[in-house]
Amino acid sequence: MRADGIDVLSLTIGEPDFATPPHAIAAAHRAALAGRTKYPPVDGVPALKAAIIRDFRRRAGLDFMPDQVMVANGGKQVIFNALMATVSTGDEVVIPTPYWNAYPLVTGLAGGNTVFLDCLQSDGFKPTAAALARALTPRTRWVVLNFPNNPTGAVLTAADLRPLADVLLAHPQCWIMADDIYARLIHDGTPHATISVVEPRLADRTLTLYGASKTYAMTGWRVGWAAGPRDLIAAMVNMQGQATSGINVPAQEAVIAALDGPDDAVLEMQHAYRRRRDLVQSALSTIPNVVSHRPDGAFYVYPDISQCLGGRLRSDEDFARALLDEAHIAIVHGAAFGRSPHIRISCATDDETLARACERIAQFCKTV
């Protein structure tokens, strides 16, 4: 459509619209000029693993040794490594819904079965202890906790995690994946909480995932990492060694600089995402047939559009297609995240584009 000259506003991609911090780019440049372009260690260069350990300690209060840390080609490869190394045919992976679709897709690739844990908008899109207890079985191999959440922006506080931890203590057969990729993108001063800090007795079976993509606007650099039990990390490194091997060294040097450098760019993004969240939330609140839960983190809004359906539109996918065709707004429909009828709006774009898009959405909703 854009190639045909149509003014399409895209609110689809989960990618910061900010530039990578200059000091990170400079570090990669220095590494390349110095000839640091050979095969890297599969688990990451020692200097980056040391920076990751410092960051986990500083940011989350977690302590790891180098053999408890591995670096991957983005957070998605961490998920791939972990599930492919541990899940056998018939094993179950519990995934809260709405979800990022990599979790069920990699589970299926590994031969496992997905068990969806329903998180209701009325509960703030947060899992309850009772629902978690019902989802767990002797075949449960993993429980995934992605909070702040993609696509809802839901955040679990320490008080929210405590009852979940109590349930998980009674199920020693399962690993826990704490996907904290959005940990530094939390609004309104709510502190980030992660389950192995809330309940240290779960640390020996918790894999904590993080990366440079969201926090430092480094999506294309493809550097993610995880820390957890030694045996699990070793199995994941073995899997990566045959899948992709290590991560290019200039990118790793860039991430060292990002982790150890000034936080000015991160703070700027935090303020911008909170402002944009408020802009979109305010605009959606004026649309009578759209119900939007206020997200506490990440850079998404996930409104309920059920009141827009029933006439010419029968599903959230119909809504998304019609919104693109008629209002020239691109969004992702809720079925892609396992929860309908919703749409996901990415706030990772400039304020003017968001304001224009919200005006078009409001006008479109008057026609359905």
Side-chain angles (χ1 to χ4, degrees), residues 90-94 115 135-143 168 171-175:
D91 286 346
E92 296 173 351
V93 177
V94 175
V115 176
L136 297 173
T137 76
R139 293 304 306 267
T140 303
R141 191 63 166 161
W142 282 93
V143 173
L168 290 166
H171 292 269
Q173 81 281 7
C174 66
W175 299 98

Side-chain angles (χ1 to χ4, degrees), residues 13 36-37 58 104 146 185 207 229 247-248 295 317 346:
I13 195 165
R36 301 200 61 203
T37 56
R58 179 174 60 242
N146 168 222
L185 301 182
L207 181 72
I247 292 76
N248 78 84
E317 185 172 4
S346 172

Side-chain angles (χ1 to χ4, degrees), residues 75 146 148 178-185 209-215:
N146 168 222
D179 185 346
D180 292 350
I181 196 75
Y182 293 98
R184 296 202 61 190
L185 301 182
L209 183 157
Y210 200 63
S213 61
K214 313 301 182 181
T215 300

